[in-house]
Amino acid sequence: MKPTARAALAAGGAALAATLLLAGCGQGFEESPDDASSADALTSSSDPLTILFGSSGDAETKAVQDAVAAWSAQSGVQVTATPATNLNQELSQGFAAGSPPDLFYLSPDQIAAYAANGSIEAYGDQLTNKGDFHPSLVRNFTVDGKFYCAPKDFSTLALVINTDMWAEAGLTDADIPTTWEQLDAAAAKLTKGDRAGLAFDAQYQRVGAFTAQAGGRLVSADGTQAVADSPENLAGLEYVKKHLTDGTFAYSADLGAGWGGEAFGKELAAMAIEGNWITGALSADFPDVKYRVAQLPAGPAGQATLQYTNCWGMAADSPNQKAALELVEHLTGTEQQLAFSKAFGPMPSIQSAADRWRTDNPALVAFLDGAAYAQGLPTDVGATDVINDFNAQLESLKSGDPKQILTTVQGNLAPVVGG
Amino acid sequence: MTLAERAPRRAGKRRTRGSRRGEGTAGWLFTLPVVVILGLFLLVPVLMALWVSFSDWSGRGSPLAPGVGFIGLGNYGEILTEGGLATRNLGISMRNVGWYVLLVVPLQTALALFLAVLVNRAILRGRGVFRTAFYFPSVTSSVAITVLWLFLFSTTGVVNEVLSWVGIGGPNWFNDPRGIVHIGLSVFGVDSGPATMTGSDVLGVSWWDWLAGPSVGMSAFILMAIFTTSGTFMLLFIAALQNIGPELGEAGMMDGANAWQRFRRITLPQLRPTLFTVLTLGLIGCWQVFDQIYTGTQGAPGKTTMTPAYLSYQAAFADQKWGQGAAISFILFLIIVFFTLLQRLLLREKGGRS
């Protein structure tokens, strides 16, 4: 090797070493997660708080920022609330860099993974308004017996009915379905030409309402066992399959709509199964469609619906958890939640706000009634993958074999729940 | 690839010029900014990702922190051999992207060459207009084109409307998970595969499902890829065509070769280096397809548009399985390197024979 070549190699090596060093000094790479902090001792400092939230639109952004600003003025703690463009990704980056936001929206399907790697603080038991939250929501955010975070609000699924089509088909208030048989009858009467009686999305997040009404669950109530291949789930899927085949039910995608609300708004279907969010979408995009909201009918095992919620996650690495806790108590307080509900839709997660909410939203009480019998989706690490795979198979339920689908789901879910 | 090719040439030059000490140092000084930037933003992240793929890093704090353990091939084993959902997901995504590559690369190369030959003809009027028109999709953001595509191929969209004029009921494009090979077979009454094909599987996907073909939804993405990238490659072919002198073509004409013979025997062999570039770039781009999926379907319908690149992102950012996500991307890397080398070998061999 000639001298120049060697010098070149040495220079190259030095440059590489320098880059490695530079990278090594970058923020976050020398900090190791502090696992020693006990669950009960919250950190306290005068550091300002940062909040990251996934906003549904300008109304939510403004409402959250206003509420936070009001608390900041009153408490003297500086807070910045930033809407995320991609919440999961930004949150992951924050945790990896060791500088996560102090508070953030956290969905139940994410909580187990973040709890497992110690990213989030289990502060639920220290909330002064702990007893006020709906019990089903508290269960949704409890992992291994620890109540992790305060539910910020919630939504349930209900039956949305186009009242004009309802009247046109000769149906009256007495015909509002309370059982599967009555739903069959109403859907059959409302199906006309290209229009389906009932539309919903091809995913467990909607179809799961029927399996729940048949008494089925994916994970046993105590959370220890996968029970996807139960005869109850089979009954639910077969019921849906039967009506997808006879055309009285239809997947919104098959009607040419992006989701159930669009199918309903475009009048491609006379009824839809959707959550609270549909009311905002309808008044914004389809203001002329008249509708009413009813509770989902009861199946062979009684009434059931699915609930969707997020909580205020708190970072374990946050330097000022005491202030963050106070802010959460403020944001989940009765007045504040009613204000949020008015601004962007979802229902307050606390029972003390229920009565006021009923008076304020008489047309939507069916959603809140669902809270009594609502179930959440499984929250085990990896359950999202299983449900996505389930959804992929539900798309072809019409031509598929429900039993075969459930066997696959059981096979996928068992290792997730067991492990 | 190009770096490896250039390096020996550069070394050779230096040797012939002789070694003057000052020049080497100055040279390194000038390249230092790029070396540092490339190292910091390319080499270091790649090495760290490689480490993550062998570690049990959970996504909290630095992957180089003391608590992160080395688990060898654990992540690779989970997605390649364990046969669970992770394995099946990889199998499905490989199936999808395999069909995508198989259809997009040859078709886009052929179309690009065809367009280039058309546009390169001196007699064509308004060549500039055509060139711009064909190249236009390439300079448009893939996100914008994806959104456009979602509208065009929606159930009640323009494409189905046009199809209905000729009496064809268009499919429910982005919601149809059926593979087109399966659809073709079902026309002949074959609705399920033989037991030998459905009984055994690779990566959790049965042989019958491997042969399903791209789903109707994926086919729309395949059309989109051909539509957007052939313009770019057309430009490469035009540049190559313009470098070919008219002499050989004229000699061929004197010998009585017709237009097709002249193209096949004279023009095409001279395009071989460009063909290699186009095929390589096409191959790499296709295996890595991500942004259309991310903005368009996110893997739906029925996971048939899920690609390894999207699966890797999903595993890491949504499921917090960072090791698996990194492992998937390195498997993808190895596949791309393998196919590029293979293709280099194939094109070389032919060159030697002729």
Side-chain angles (χ1 to χ4, degrees), chain B residues 187-261:
Chain B
V187 171
F188 300 104
V190 185
D191 282 322
S192 59
T196 44
M197 289 180 80
T198 51
S200 55
D201 64 80
V202 177
L203 289 177
V205 179
S206 74
W207 285 106
W208 174 247
D209 284 336
W210 277 99
L211 294 176
S215 70
V216 180
M218 192 55 140
S219 305
F221 278 127
I222 289 174
L223 291 176
M224 183 170 98
I226 295 169
F227 169 73
T228 50
T229 39
S230 37
T232 319
F233 295 140
M234 174 195 73
L235 221 57
L236 292 180
F237 278 127
I238 290 177
L241 284 170
Q242 286 174 348
N243 268 334
I244 298 176
E247 304 84 10
L248 285 174
E250 282 164 8
M253 223 184 281
M254 295 303 287
D255 290 341
N258 64 25
W260 167 250
Q261 283 170 327

Side-chain angles (χ1 to χ4, degrees), chain A residues 2 4 8 16 19 28-29 33 35 86 89 92 95-96 110 114 117-119 253-254 256 317 385 389 392 395 412, chain B residues 15 19 28 36 40 43-44 48 57-62 85 88 155 172 175 294 301-303 313 317-320 322:
Chain A
K2 294 194 171 179
T4 336
L16 180 61
T19 13
F29 287 108
D35 292 321
N86 184 334
Q89 186 180 324
S92 299
F95 284 125
Q110 296 273 316
Y114 282 131
N117 68 14
S119 293
D254 292 335
D317 287 336
D385 262 357
D389 192 73
E395 282 171 26
N412 291 334
Chain B
R15 227 171 290 142
S19 51
W28 276 106
V36 170
L40 189 60
L43 191 61
V44 172
M48 281 178 70
W57 186 54
S58 62
R60 185 188 178 210
S62 162
L85 192 55
R88 210 162 78 89
T155 320
N172 196 348
N175 296 305
Y294 179 76
K303 288 193 183 177
Y313 170 82
F317 284 97
D319 302 340
Q320 305 297 316
W322 297 84

Side-chain angles (χ1 to χ4, degrees), chain B residues 271-294:
Chain B
L271 287 176
R272 177 159 289 148
T274 315
L275 204 61
F276 174 73
T277 313
V278 167
L279 287 173
T280 309
L281 289 177
L283 209 62
I284 294 174
C286 283
W287 277 101
Q288 293 182 338
V289 55
F290 175 81
D291 36 2
Q292 294 91 318
I293 310 300
Y294 179 76

Side-chain angles (χ1 to χ4, degrees), chain A residues 273-309:
Chain A
I273 297 180
E274 278 297 338
N276 298 58
W277 49 83
I278 194 176
T279 60
L282 288 178
S283 62
D285 298 334
F286 310 98
D288 299 332
V289 175
K290 291 197 200 78
Y291 64 91
R292 64 175 293 173
V293 182
Q295 295 187 57
L296 289 178
Q303 278 189 302
T305 183
L306 298 177
Q307 69 185 15
Y308 295 95
T309 174

